[in-house]
């Protein structure tokens, strides 16, 4: 519905006919578009499985393709961190777009001396969050809307059940009002007690597993256990140490304490962009 409204607005604004075209359909339609020789470049956001097929079709015609796919994004919290800053950053990142964005946290990798304190602090912030309808124009930071569609809502609950079955403990505190009980609302959740080898896939929602480390080397190794991810974050009071960790992460973008890392702020005029690694995709953001 949102894209239909956008399409109507584009045409109403006077964009020449054919410049913007919108089609709804399943995989057969997408494959026909990608394979058509009149399609000169492809930008795809979706699953790894479909991304492989898109890349293969593009390779046959040597057409450029930008793929933004999966990968469970890591957040590393070092021992010297300000816990309140990290907790606020993680909670808000999980709540952004109701967890349905490609940079959402998937694995919280925290120093083993801080796990209990950080989990408690994040859950406190969950408790302060509220829900509102997606049509509510008054939504602000800390206000959650619904999951995009029912089938995805079901898959998120199934993921929590899977993690519980592996011995995970679910930590959540955001109350869903009774008036929203029949909607696609989903409370953000941390999950402790599950081995990282079971947490490599992106669930594309406000669910984040928690894992502990004792050294920076171990943390980097744990983060890079996934073959590529779109965004990673390092929280630390020691900015130099955080940058050193960031440089070793196989990530399209690295954030330090919630601020972008590796991007020019204006002195050289370099346009900020980031690339994709491994199963996270192929290419880089920017003009194709």
């Amino acid at each position: 519905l949102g894209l239909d409204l956008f399409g109507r607005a584009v045409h109403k604004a006077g964009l020449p006919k054919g410049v913007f075209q919108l089609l709804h359909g399943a995989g057969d339609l997408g494959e026909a578009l990608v394979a058509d020789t009149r399609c000169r470049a492809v930008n795809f956001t979706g699953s790894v499985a479909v991304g492989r097929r898109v890349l293969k079709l593009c390779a046959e015609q040597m057409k450029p393709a930008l793929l933004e796919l999966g990968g469970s994004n890591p957040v590393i919290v070092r021992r010297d961190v300000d816990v309140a800053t990290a907790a606020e950053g993680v909670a808000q990142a999980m709540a952004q777009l109701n967890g349905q964005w490609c940079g959402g946290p998937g694995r919280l990798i925290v120093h083993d001396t801080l796990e209990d304190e950080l989990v408690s602090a994040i859950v406190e912030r969950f408790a302060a969050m509220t829900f509102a309808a997606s049509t509510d124009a008054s939504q602000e930071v800390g206000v959650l809307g619904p999951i995009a569609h029912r089938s995805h809502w079901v898959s998120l609950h199934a993921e929590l059940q899977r993690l519980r079955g592996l011995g995970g403990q679910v930590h959540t505190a955001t109350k869903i009002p009774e008036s929203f009980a029949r909607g696609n609302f989903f409370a953000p959740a941390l999950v402790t007690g599950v081995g990282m080898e079971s947490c490599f896939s992106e669930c594309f929602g406000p669910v984040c597993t928690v894992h502990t480390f004792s050294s920076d080397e171990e943390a980097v190794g744990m983060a890079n256990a996934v073959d590529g991810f779109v965004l990673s974050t390092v929280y630390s009071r020691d900015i130099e140490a955080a940058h050193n960790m960031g440089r070793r992460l196989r990530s399209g973008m690295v954030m330090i304490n919630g601020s972008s890392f590796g991007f020019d702020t204006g002195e050289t005029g370099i346009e900020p962009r980031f690339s994709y690694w491994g199963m996270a995709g192929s290419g880089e953001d920017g003009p194709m």
Side-chain angles (χ1 to χ4, degrees):
L1 176 60
L3 284 175
D4 283 335
L5 293 173
F6 177 76
R8 294 173 191 172
V10 164
H11 290 298
K12 189 175 182 180
L15 195 69
K17 186 177 181 180
V19 173
F20 175 84
Q21 300 179 59
L22 174 64
L23 295 173
H24 293 291
D28 56 345
L29 175 61
E31 180 154 343
L33 288 172
V34 173
D36 195 302
T37 56
R38 292 170 294 179
C39 174
R40 305 299 295 274
V42 175
N43 188 324
F44 172 76
T45 299
S47 70
V48 173
V50 177
R52 283 196 181 102
R53 180 59 179 162
V54 170
L55 193 59
K56 180 179 180 180
L57 291 171
C58 289
E60 290 174 353
Q61 298 180 30
M62 300 298 288
K63 68 175 66 175
L66 190 154
L67 308 179
E68 184 176 337
L69 309 177
S72 180
N73 298 311
V75 177
I76 298 176
V77 180
R78 298 183 74 244
R79 183 175 186 175
D80 64 350
V81 76
D82 177 80
V83 172
T85 298
E88 184 67 22
V90 172
Q92 292 303 331
M94 291 180 65
Q96 183 173 326
L97 298 177
N98 314 311
Q100 301 164 108
W101 64 295
C102 294
R107 295 171 295 146
L108 180 58
I109 302 172
V110 57
H111 195 273
D112 52 19
T113 62
L114 297 175
E115 180 184 17
D116 292 343
E117 181 182 3
L118 182 62
V119 168
S120 295
I122 294 172
V123 172
E124 284 181 8
R125 284 154 178 80
F126 287 167
M129 294 178 180
T130 57
F131 287 93
S134 57
T135 54
D136 188 343
S138 67
Q139 283 200 39
E140 299 177 354
V141 174
V143 179
L144 296 156
I147 298 302
H149 49 81
R150 193 65 175 182
S151 61
H152 189 43
W153 180 89
V154 170
S155 73
L156 290 175
H157 280 281
E159 176 63 6
L160 282 187
Q161 284 297 103
R162 184 185 75 86
L163 293 171
R164 284 192 180 99
L166 294 171
Q169 180 179 355
V170 176
H171 307 262
T172 187
T174 315
K175 303 298 183 183
I176 301 176
E178 288 187 11
S179 57
F180 290 161
R182 297 181 62 185
N184 298 333
F185 295 91
F186 189 94
L190 295 177
V191 182
T192 57
V194 178
M196 183 174 287
E197 66 278 0
S198 301
C199 307
F200 289 164
S201 298
E202 179 188 34
C203 70
F204 207 70
V207 176
C208 187
T209 55
V210 183
H211 315 274
T212 62
F213 69 92
S214 58
S215 69
D216 284 1
E217 289 296 326
E218 184 182 10
V220 171
M222 293 169 70
N224 286 337
V226 171
D227 185 19
F229 30 88
V230 174
L231 175 66
S232 57
T233 308
V234 180
Y235 283 96
S236 174
R237 295 178 190 268
D238 187 334
I239 301 303
E240 182 177 355
H243 279 210
N244 286 336
M245 293 186 77
R247 292 185 182 96
R248 290 181 286 165
L249 297 174
R250 293 198 295 269
S251 178
M253 176 185 286
V254 179
M255 308 287 278
I256 303 297
N257 295 330
S259 299
S260 60
F261 161 71
F263 294 134
D264 184 78
T265 57
E267 294 180 5
T268 66
I270 297 175
E271 180 186 358
R273 59 178 61 189
F274 62 97
S275 56
Y276 303 103
W277 295 69
M279 294 302 169
S282 174
E284 69 173 15
D285 275 358
M288 295 184 70

